[in-house]
Amino acid sequence: MEETYLLNVEGVKKKILHGGQGELPKLQDGSKITFHFQTLKDDFERTVIDDSREAGIPMEIIVGKMFKLEIWETLLSSMRAGEVAEFWCDAIHTGMYALVSRGMRRIAEGRDPLEGQKHRCGMGNMFDYHSTGYDDLDELQRTPQPLIFIMELFRVEEPSAYKRDTWAMSKEEKLAAVPVLHREGNRLVLRKEFGQAAEKYQEAVICLRNLQAKEKPWEEGWLKLESLVTPLVLNYCQCQLELGEYYEVLEHTTELLQKHNDNAKAYFKRAKAHAAVWNEREAREDFLRVAHLDPSMAAAVKKELKQLGERMRKKHVEDRKRYQGLFQPPRG
């Protein structure tokens, strides 16, 4: 029979399902813990809420960095490498699970875990947004309850033993990473590896956006970071143009122009995306706006407008032939 016992923490019970090896880990700020987990409701069906195995990769958390379910560090510190254990945790420890799960799900979806959050405490963010975006988590947010965590610990790495994910870096580490990522992106563009370059630019933007979330919009600190974001977004959009992801370009350039409506380069890239998806009127408007904002780009605009006109004329001829064929009466 599996033995159930109490940790030295109120409202927590542990059951070892499979023994581990070695000594208990010594956690410190910056240590990376790699493990699989399953979260279940404490109901008759033991309803599964989250399962890291469904994402295909283990969960990783950085001790003391941007992870607000502190009880998990306590649970994992009681485990040895290779151990599988089941923990029952009272509601006093699980009230923040909905917000934490939201971030984990965003990471699994390839999104920024802090996307949309204001610089406030976790509970304040809950009240700001009312919904996590996931129905099952909204239920937990409304009625915190005991949860069961089944964890399998793989390893604990010291801070110097691994490369930090950018979202888990400190402010200083993020600022230092941005120019490195920018240079790597530029190098990949020269090699015409546009997909990988776009990833570098995107990673740098995420670093800066996370820092901006801690600043007041349009004040000095926010503006300094925005001046670093803008060229990275433009480089990202250029890569997406090369890759044929025109609607991605339309989305990001439009978002950029909502804040900086005098950016000629953003209009130029958006115009090219409009032209590529046959939005003739929008493309012409954006190209003319470019020439107005930056006369030095007038020659490039003239060339693009000529190409746009030729493409549209060719398309109209092809469409006319196609429609004529549709309405020809059958012979005989």
Side-chain angles (χ1 to χ4, degrees):
M1 178 180 288
E2 299 155 340
E3 183 181 359
T4 300
Y5 59 95
L6 298 175
L7 299 182
N8 293 322
V9 180
E10 180 185 358
V12 176
K13 299 176 184 177
K14 178 180 178 181
K15 185 187 297 182
I16 297 177
L17 307 180
H18 184 277
Q21 298 176 342
E23 300 293 327
L24 291 174
K26 295 180 180 179
L27 303 182
Q28 57 179 300
D29 279 359
S31 295
K32 181 165 77 171
I33 310 174
T34 304
F35 60 100
H36 267 310
F37 76 95
Q38 192 177 48
T39 304
L40 304 91
K41 288 186 176 181
D42 184 22
D43 56 15
F44 181 77
E45 296 83 5
R46 288 168 63 94
T47 305
V48 177
I49 300 171
D50 290 308
D51 189 339
S52 62
R53 286 181 173 81
E54 291 184 357
I57 55 174
M59 174 69 185
E60 295 177 349
I61 63 173
I62 309 299
V63 175
K65 298 289 183 180
M66 297 172 65
F67 197 78
K68 296 181 172 58
L69 198 65
E70 295 180 5
I71 192 62
W72 271 22
E73 294 180 10
T74 302
L75 306 183
L76 290 162
S77 68
S78 75
M79 299 176 67
R80 293 174 168 81
E83 180 179 325
V84 181
E86 177 178 310
F87 299 91
W88 178 90
C89 294
D90 199 358
I92 60 173
H93 300 297
T94 63
M96 293 296 294
Y97 185 78
L99 186 63
V100 171
S101 177
R102 173 182 181 268
M104 293 188 295
R105 292 183 187 186
R106 285 179 174 271
I107 293 171
E109 294 164 2
R111 301 162 66 188
D112 175 16
L114 297 182
E115 179 183 327
Q117 285 192 19
K118 299 178 181 177
H119 181 47
R120 292 184 58 184
C121 68
M123 194 61 69
N125 276 318
M126 283 193 193
F127 286 119
D128 278 338
Y129 294 95
H130 305 292
S131 174
T132 63
Y134 304 93
D135 291 341
D136 57 339
L137 298 183
D138 287 344
E139 179 191 346
L140 290 180
Q141 183 171 294
R142 287 190 297 268
T143 56
Q145 56 195 266
L147 295 175
I148 297 168
F149 303 112
I150 300 177
M151 295 180 164
E152 179 181 2
L153 177 63
F154 292 129
R155 58 186 174 274
V156 176
E157 297 172 86
E158 298 301 315
S160 60
Y162 64 93
K163 180 182 177 182
R164 306 280 290 278
D165 291 329
T166 52
W167 65 265
M169 292 178 178
S170 66
K171 177 180 179 180
E172 292 72 21
E173 290 169 332
K174 286 186 175 77
L175 288 173
V178 167
V180 175
L181 291 166
H182 200 157
R183 288 194 298 270
E184 289 179 358
N186 293 346
R187 178 179 58 82
L188 290 164
V189 166
L190 292 175
R191 294 167 54 179
K192 299 189 182 303
E193 297 177 13
F194 299 112
Q196 294 181 46
E199 290 177 2
K200 297 296 181 182
Y201 295 136
Q202 186 178 43
E203 190 174 357
V205 169
I206 288 173
C207 282
L208 294 170
R209 291 297 190 208
N210 285 345
L211 294 174
Q212 271 190 316
K214 298 174 174 62
E215 302 286 345
K216 291 185 177 180
W218 303 106
E219 293 195 356
E220 183 179 359
W222 189 94
L223 289 169
K224 284 182 178 179
L225 293 167
E226 185 69 13
S227 69
L228 299 175
V229 168
T230 299
L232 288 164
V233 172
L234 292 172
N235 288 357
Y236 173 82
C237 289
Q238 183 60 42
C239 291
Q240 298 302 319
L241 282 174
E242 299 288 349
L243 294 168
E245 299 291 343
Y246 303 119
Y247 290 102
E248 182 85 357
V249 177
L250 292 175
E251 177 185 348
H252 288 282
T253 51
T254 299
E255 181 182 351
L256 186 63
L257 288 166
Q258 287 172 350
K259 291 183 286 188
H260 310 286
N261 62 5
D262 60 347
N263 192 303
K265 291 182 179 179
Y267 279 112
F268 190 78
K269 295 183 193 304
R270 190 172 74 171
K272 288 177 72 69
H274 274 309
V277 297
W278 308 106
N279 296 337
E280 182 181 13
R281 179 180 60 81
E282 292 86 349
R284 289 187 181 278
E285 289 176 355
D286 278 353
F287 278 132
L288 293 174
R289 181 71 172 168
V290 171
H292 174 74
L293 289 170
D294 188 352
S296 69
M297 298 181 70
V301 167
K302 184 177 180 180
K303 179 181 177 181
E304 292 290 341
L305 287 171
K306 181 180 179 181
Q307 291 178 351
L308 175 62
E310 291 171 352
R311 288 182 68 239
M312 296 307 300
R313 280 192 293 274
K314 183 178 179 181
K315 182 177 185 296
H316 292 154
V317 170
E318 292 174 351
D319 288 346
R320 200 158 48 240
K321 290 179 179 178
R322 187 179 303 115
Y323 295 138
Q324 284 174 351
L326 287 174
F327 296 108
Q328 288 270 344
R331 295 189 177 183

